[in-house]
Amino acid sequence: MLGFGVVSGTPRVTGSARLLECGVVRTPATRALADRLAAVHEGVVELLERHRPDAVAVEGVFYGKNVRSAIILSHARGVVLLAAATAGAPVHEYSPAAVKKAVVGRGAALKPQVGYAVAQLLRLSAPPRPADAADAVAIALTHLLSARIAR
C-alpha cells in the first residue's frame, strides 16, 4: 500500500494549504512483486496526469529493522521517482524526522500526532485515513511549508 497526498497553497501565505486528494494505491499481496510495482506505477502516473503537480515530495530513504520490508519499500519508491521524472516533476525528499518536525514541531512525534497536526493544518474534521495517506499528506505539507520558509 502506497500513501499519496495532493495539497495546494501559496507558500508565502500561512493557512492557505488545501487538501485536493489523498488515499492509497493498493496492490494485492498475493501478486508478484513486479506486478505490484507495475500497479503502483500506473496509479502514480494517473495521479500525476490528473493533478499535474509543480513538484513531488517523497519520504527519503530510511533504515528499518526489517531489511526485506525496506528493500520492497525502496523498489516502490524507485517506481514513484521514475514516474515523477517521466512526468517532468521535480522531486524533493524529506526524512521522516524532518516531516514530523515540520508538521508537529518535533522530529520524534508519533503517528497519531502527525495525523492530528495534518488535520489541524488543513482544517479537516479528522486526520486522513488510512495512516499511510496521512503520512503522505504530511510529506506534501512539509514541502509546501519548506517552500514558504525558503522564500
Side-chain angles (χ1 to χ4, degrees):
M1 178 168 22
L2 174 81
F4 66 86
V6 182
V7 297
S8 70
T10 306
R12 295 180 191 190
V13 180
T14 302
S16 72
R18 199 170 58 114
L19 179 64
L20 301 178
E21 182 180 1
C22 71
V24 293
V25 176
R26 295 183 190 275
T27 62
T30 56
R31 290 177 60 191
L33 178 59
D35 293 336
R36 294 174 70 195
L37 292 173
V40 167
H41 185 264
E42 289 170 17
V44 172
V45 166
E46 194 274 324
L47 281 166
L48 291 169
E49 288 174 352
R50 186 166 64 244
H51 290 287
R52 304 239 183 255
D54 294 332
V56 173
V58 297
E59 186 173 70
V61 177
F62 70 94
Y63 303 96
K65 292 178 183 168
N66 185 331
V67 175
R68 186 179 191 294
S69 294
I71 290 171
I72 291 171
L73 179 62
S74 294
H75 288 316
R77 190 175 171 284
V79 165
V80 172
L81 296 177
L82 172 64
T86 302
V91 175
H92 302 272
E93 299 182 42
Y94 299 94
S95 71
V99 171
K100 292 172 184 177
K101 183 153 180 61
V103 298
V104 177
R106 65 185 199 95
L110 302 174
K111 273 192 180 283
Q113 293 170 313
V114 172
Y116 177 80
V118 165
Q120 295 303 301
L121 288 167
L122 293 170
R123 297 169 302 286
L124 304 173
S125 60
R129 293 281 170 224
D132 289 332
D135 290 346
V137 173
I139 295 165
L141 282 171
T142 298
H143 180 67
L144 202 60
L145 293 166
S146 296
R148 188 179 79 216
I149 292 166
R151 292 183 185 198

